[in-house]
Amino acid sequence: MDLLGQILKYVVLIVLAISFLLPFYWMVSSAVKDDAQVYVVPPIWFPRPQFWENFWNAWNSETFNLWTFNTVVRYAIPATFGTVLSSSLVAYSFARIDWKGRNAVFAIVLATMMVPDWVRLVPLFVIFKTLGWINTFNPLVVPAFFGNAFFIFLLRQFFLALPLELSDAARIDGASELRIFVRIILPLSKAALAVVALFTFMNAWNDYLGPLIYINQEDKWVLTLGVGRLRSAVDEIGNTKLAYPWLMAVSSLITLPVFLAFFFAQRSFIEGISLTGLKG
Amino acid sequence: MIALRRLLPATQREWRNFLLGVGFASPWIIGFLIFTLFPIGSALYYSFTRYDLVRDPVWLGVQNYVAFADDADFRLVAGNTLWWVLLSSPLGVLSAFLMALLLNSRIIFRSFFRAIFFFPAIVPVVVTAFVWIFLLNVQYGAINSTLQAWGFKTIPFISSPDLMKWSLVVIHMWSQGAAMVIFLATLQDVPKSLYEAATVDGANAFHRLWNITVPMVSPIILFNLVMSFIGGFQYFTLPWIMTQGGPSRSAEFYAIYLYRNAFQWFRMGKASALAWVLFVLILLFTYLIFRTSGRFVYYAGAAR
């Protein structure tokens, strides 16, 4: 009976795992098809021959190099830098400085996580438009320098766990609070800071709504907007491009960095998420 | 006066800490005022106006809100969104919980399976949208051409208004990795002794699940459910990319309608009113869940 239960469990696990992976396999295998291999019944799971040049051709069919540059250099890197810097400063205040009103302010930080982004969107658009920031990366990057409630919470949990004696000893030696923060707390928190950097970078890499609203000029697009180009080719009638294979090829390429990050930093991902969900 | 004095720092040391604390927290405090509090306030103001970004706002009073009462579009998107929140949230949480249960039992290659179940949660939403559009396509999608080859009728997953929302639910259940990881961490904290004691008392696997596991993780069920509700009310990107709210507006959710009003039709006043209604709905929903949750949620260590 127990054996039967074990077998059943593994059957369920394996069937589930396969169906979870199937969309990704479909994406990558379709990326190396030509059109004749796309529009057939039954579907081809192992395309022969494979057209690996689709990756290269699809990538070069639009300005994906420029859009990658925009995504990484003009959006993700500055947003990550700003978030890590500001969120760790603020988290330090909530975790390691005992000030009056701290708990009340921290409660507001947590409460802001429930405020829907949509309620802020129109006025923010008006503000950024007045500042002349539409079609720049400022609306996406500048707010990152003012802390993110989610990451403030995560870092605060981490800082709280560091022994207080460390700071006390440094204070007796006359170190300023900023010096304690930079020289003692930050070096001990590399793992947590890495989680924040990883998540922020990935959020920027995956972000669609922000660029959709603030960036209309094509030379300022990010990757998530750029792939849409290949999507419209799919819907065009009588197009001569390899519409679906190309769409899948570029989709695979922009998933690859996320996959690699996850592959090499799986622990950080898992721990970062369980930390925020649990200790609250 | 006494109450006020108690709120303020008293000694020099307290003042020093206060200034330091506020100083370190100032990025968030300033950001909160500029990017959250002020926008929420001005959204309330705009919601009482007609505003197209070009001309100055025109005061309308509560007209934007009153108009929702007999606005067929509003009813449509509100209905779609309510459907979405009430179905996708429990089913998503259930999916995450079951995956976590499976992973928490004694299995080999646990972290391998965990990685597979988790990964869809971090894939760019655009990619999720494109892959599933292709997969579910009625003519040459992988699923339908397989059905066709086996002699079955094809299923218009994303081209039929009746099925579109259900397809989105399936995709939603597929991308529950984050909630699953949170569940998994909680499950691992449930004391083994509880299960051992129950087994000695003759409880079978189902009893142990229902009487130990579920109560012990119920606070996290609540947490995931609330987060899922809040996210569900704001559901936008996936249905927008897949079908722009179609087919036949069956996936036109509240946020899509809000987006259209604000950024396609430049009705900033109406969009702000929509946003505020959404805000109040979310607050109300969250409040109601927490009010009624006391009966279902068990907090270990809390006095009953």
Side-chain angles (χ1 to χ4, degrees), chain A residues 10 93 100 117 120 206 231, chain B residues 6 21 108 122 241-242:
Chain A
Y10 279 101
S93 169
K100 276 213 154 169
D117 281 340
R120 306 184 301 162
N206 293 354
R231 160 73 189 287
Chain B
R6 210 173 287 157
I108 48 170
I122 53 171
I241 300 173
M242 285 182 79

Side-chain angles (χ1 to χ4, degrees), chain A residues 36 38 83 175 195 236:
Chain A
V38 168
T83 304
V195 169
E236 270 167 35

Side-chain angles (χ1 to χ4, degrees), chain A residues 143-197:
Chain A
F145 282 80
F146 294 88
N148 169 304
F150 182 79
F151 296 126
I152 292 171
F153 176 69
L154 189 147
L155 289 171
R156 171 184 172 268
Q157 301 306 101
F158 196 88
F159 292 163
L160 277 177
L162 300 173
L164 271 176
E165 291 78 16
L166 289 171
S167 319
D168 290 342
R171 274 192 202 111
I172 290 166
D173 291 345
S176 71
E177 211 64 46
L178 196 64
R179 196 179 164 83
I180 298 172
F181 171 66
V182 174
R183 287 294 172 82
I184 298 175
I185 302 299
L186 285 188
L188 288 172
S189 311
K190 281 189 195 121
L193 296 173
V195 169
V196 173

Side-chain angles (χ1 to χ4, degrees), chain B residues 126-179:
Chain B
V126 276
V127 172
T128 304
F130 295 150
V131 171
W132 281 91
I133 288 171
F134 192 12
L135 208 58
L136 299 177
N137 186 289
V138 72
Q139 291 163 25
Y140 39 83
I143 298 172
N144 274 314
S145 34
T146 306
L147 289 176
Q148 225 178 315
W150 290 347
F152 294 105
K153 267 177 67 175
T154 54
I155 304 167
F157 294 109
I158 53 173
S159 39
S160 139
D162 297 329
L163 292 179
M164 178 62 190
K165 280 199 282 286
W166 286 106
S167 303
L168 290 171
V169 169
V170 171
I171 303 173
H172 181 72
M173 291 172 76
W174 173 76
S175 42
Q176 287 305 306

Side-chain angles (χ1 to χ4, degrees), chain A residues 6 9-10 12-14 16-24 26-27 30 33 38-43 45 86 88-94 97-101 105 108-109 112-129 133 142-143 145-149 152 171 175 177-178 181 202 205-206 208-209 212-213 223-225 227-228 231 234 244-245 247-248 250-252 254-255 258-259 262 266-267 269-271 273-274 276-279, chain B residues 5-10 14 16-18 20-22 24-32 34-36 38-40 42-43 46 51 53 95 99 102-103 105-108 111 113-120 122-127 130-135 137 139-142 145-146 148-149 173-175 178-179 181-182 185-186 189 220 223 226 230 234-237 240-243 255-256 258-259 262-263 266 268 271-272 275-276 278-279 282-283 286 290:
Chain A
Q6 283 293 318
K9 192 163 72 189
Y10 279 101
V12 171
L13 257 180
I14 289 166
L16 262 184
I18 289 174
S19 46
F20 265 68
L21 286 178
L22 210 66
F24 297 113
W26 179 250
M27 170 174 81
S30 302
K33 291 176 184 173
V38 168
Y39 302 104
V40 289
V41 173
W45 291 98
S86 57
S88 59
L89 265 172
V90 177
Y92 183 83
S93 169
F94 289 128
I97 304 174
D98 185 22
W99 50 284
K100 276 213 154 169
V105 177
I108 303 176
V109 174
T112 58
M113 288 201 240
M114 289 202 332
V115 176
D117 281 340
W118 292 98
V119 80
R120 306 184 301 162
L121 217 54
V122 166
L124 281 179
F125 187 83
V126 175
I127 295 172
F128 293 140
K129 193 173 147 57
W133 283 4
V142 171
F145 282 80
F146 294 88
N148 169 304
I152 292 171
R171 274 192 202 111
E177 211 64 46
L178 196 64
F181 171 66
M202 208 182 61
W205 179 268
N206 293 354
Y208 176 81
L209 183 58
L212 177 72
I213 287 171
L223 283 169
T224 49
L225 295 180
V227 225
R231 160 73 189 287
V234 170
Y244 264 116
L247 180 63
M248 291 299 110
V250 174
S251 295
S252 309
I254 65 173
T255 309
V258 178
F259 175 77
F262 180 59
Q266 205 194 129
R267 273 182 62 113
F269 274 94
I270 305 279
E271 277 167 13
I273 288 177
S274 17
T276 50
L278 273 184
K279 311 278 160 26
Chain B
R5 193 167 302 156
R6 210 173 287 157
L7 283 175
L8 288 170
E14 276 183 6
R16 185 183 155 273
N17 276 349
F18 180 77
L20 270 172
V22 171
F24 272 76
S26 60
W28 179 82
I29 295 172
I30 295 167
F32 170 71
I34 301 176
F35 298 119
T36 302
F38 175 71
I40 293 178
S42 37
Y46 290 138
Y51 183 33
L53 283 178
S95 155
M99 287 190 288
L102 210 53
L103 290 176
S105 62
R106 256 194 301 168
I107 50 168
I108 48 170
S111 49
F113 283 115
R114 186 182 61 186
I116 291 175
F117 292 163
F118 178 74
F119 188 60
I122 53 171
V123 168
V125 186
V126 276
V127 172
F130 295 150
V131 171
W132 281 91
I133 288 171
F134 192 12
L135 208 58
N137 186 289
Q139 291 163 25
Y140 39 83
S145 34
T146 306
Q148 225 178 315
M173 291 172 76
W174 173 76
S175 42
V181 166
I182 294 172
T186 322
D189 283 348
I220 301 300
F223 172 83
V226 170
I230 295 176
Q234 306 182 60
Y235 194 47
F236 173 81
T237 309
W240 176 256
I241 300 173
M242 285 182 79
T243 58
I256 292 183
L258 204 167
Y259 175 84
F263 300 108
F266 298 104
M268 294 296 175
S272 298
W276 255 90
L278 184 72
F279 188 30
I282 289 178
L283 289 181
T286 316
F290 278 116

Side-chain angles (χ1 to χ4, degrees), chain A residues 75 140 204 207-216 221-222 224-225:
Chain A
Y75 182 8
L140 306 174
D207 188 17
Y208 176 81
L209 183 58
L212 177 72
I213 287 171
Y214 295 115
I215 295 175
N216 318 310
W221 273 4
V222 294
T224 49
L225 295 180

